[in-house]
Amino acid sequence: MGGGGLAAPVGDVSRVEAPVTVKAYMMCVFAAFGGIFFGYDSGYISGVMGMEFFIHQIEGPEAIILSAWKKSLVTSILSAGTFFGAVIAGDVADWIGRRPTVIFGCLVFIVGVILQTASSDLGLLVAGRLIAGLGVGFVSAVIVLYMSEIAPRKVRGAIVSGYQFCICIGLLLASSVDYGTQNRQDSGSYRIPIGLQMVWALILAGGLFLLPESPRFFVKKGKLDQAASALCSLRDQPFDSQYVQDELTEIVANYEYEMSLIPQTNYFGAWANCFKGTLSDSGSPLRRTILGTSMQMMQQWTGVNFVFYFGTTFFQQLGTIQDPFMISLITTLVNVCSTPLSFWTMERFGRRPLLIWGALGMCICQFLVAIIGTVLPNNDGATKAMIALICIYIFFFATTWGPGAWVVVGEIFPLPIRAKGVALSTASNWLWNCIIAVITPYMVEPDRGNLGAKVFYIWGGLCTLCFVYSYLLIPETKGLTLEQVDQMLQETTPRTSSRWVPHTTYAAEMGMTDKHSAGHVEHKNEVESV
């Protein structure tokens, strides 16, 4: 863009989006509610696996802990289902829309929860978690896509960070319910935490019926009247607003430009488009897909889900903690209280600095936990220091990599491949989530690897890689529209991206600076679809 020896056309970069209103902000905030049942579903299982009645139900009346392979299976099967749900969601979101896909995911999730609640043995519980995982995959992949596409640019980082905050609230609710039911000597000890998940899914599905579809989905489908109507609702502007016309024209122009680079062919060709280009080109679809999938991999490599999935049983094994359920509740509370800070820091300091320094902070805390646990095992004072450092580590995660990875993934893909790119990235998150859930019990269980606190050497080493990765590969996307992010990625490298400022618009580049241009594109799309 803007190459050749000629001066590039310059559009008004200040008029590509309407001012943020309270209504627009609140609509986007509600979409983040999807994180609650995502977090709750991830969090309740740690406490349930440590409940006496549940252990007796699965292992027999003489058992005191679940066997490692059953812990691994029960925890990881959800992530396996979520991986496939996230991949499928990319197609469904491009077919029926972002909003209906999330609603469908809620319904699938409810079916899985019903099976889990009815279970009294391992088989039905595992089947229910697999089906629930499919639903979580739909929601986790598409809700980030939906929020990124409807949120105003000035608060997009805060809005998507709100999704991570809702995940934290879900984890806290799960820990609280587990704590309240842990001593029940009936099936309510585990059925109450499991069944409560249906409430969050029903609230999200019901609320989404009242929200508009993503205008960018309508542009992708060539339905510009509906795209304009959705923008009016999202930006709280009248239909004839110049802001709406300018934003719609910019979205259309960007889509037309990207379509010239990433032509849509058949079903397999559409997926293949995610891997076009070269690694040396920072704006190529291949580079963006690798960035998105590797970011979600790195988020899992931080080891935070070790604390949330296996925290209760890990604290039990330390031998000096009287109430492991309470410690798990405290770590989850730290996660919840820390995350809102990212609402401000994500827009004040940007994505790139937070991810770099967050990785460094986590790395230091994890190595200290590992050293203390190795040098002073079974020491009460050392255990307290380890718990304090784990809480500081969770603070670093909650304010940086927790929300930051989702924010960046929602911003870096061009519209023609956005749904599939976000789906692949989310699937990567759940794939590594599954791998970690499978192998961790074998690493720390006394009759297996028996690493204990030494497992934090592994997480610390992986966070060191996250630090290097952040410095070399993560671009700065703060304060840009999704279309401007597209420009920035094509014109900079990650280390120079923070200095880039918008200098033109796609509408100017494509000669679509008047209102009639959008109508021309709508007619063109209608002709091409015949």
Side-chain angles (χ1 to χ4, degrees), residues 87 279 344 421 503:
V87 173
L279 283 175
W344 176 71
H503 52 84

Side-chain angles (χ1 to χ4, degrees), residues 25 28-36 38-39 140 143-171 295-296 299 335-352 354-355 395-411 476-479:
Y25 192 83
C28 298
V29 166
F30 179 80
F33 187 85
I36 287 188
F38 173 11
S140 61
I143 202 73
V144 172
L145 168 67
Y146 179 66
M147 286 190 296
S148 297
E149 290 192 338
I150 69 173
R153 59 173 171 162
K154 293 180 181 178
V155 295
R156 188 176 60 242
I159 292 292
V160 180
S161 295
Y163 172 70
Q164 178 67 24
F165 179 56
C166 285
I167 292 175
C168 298
I169 291 177
L171 287 165
M295 274 206 72
Q296 292 295 339
Q299 191 202 56
N335 195 26
V336 171
C337 294
S338 303
T339 301
L341 183 61
S342 68
F343 298 177
W344 176 71
T345 56
M346 199 65 65
E347 300 300 349
R348 173 64 178 84
F349 300 108
R351 289 65 158 147
R352 179 176 163 84
L354 286 185
L355 293 169
F395 167 81
F396 277 112
F397 175 84
T399 54
T400 60
W401 272 87
W406 291 110
V407 171
V408 174
V409 161
E411 295 175 329
E476 182 54 73
T477 55
K478 180 188 75 167

Side-chain angles (χ1 to χ4, degrees), residues 293-311:
T293 53
S294 60
M295 274 206 72
Q296 292 295 339
M297 175 185 73
M298 289 289 178
Q299 191 202 56
Q300 290 302 304
W301 279 11
T302 61
V304 73
N305 278 331
F306 167 74
V307 177
F308 295 131
Y309 281 168
F310 303 104

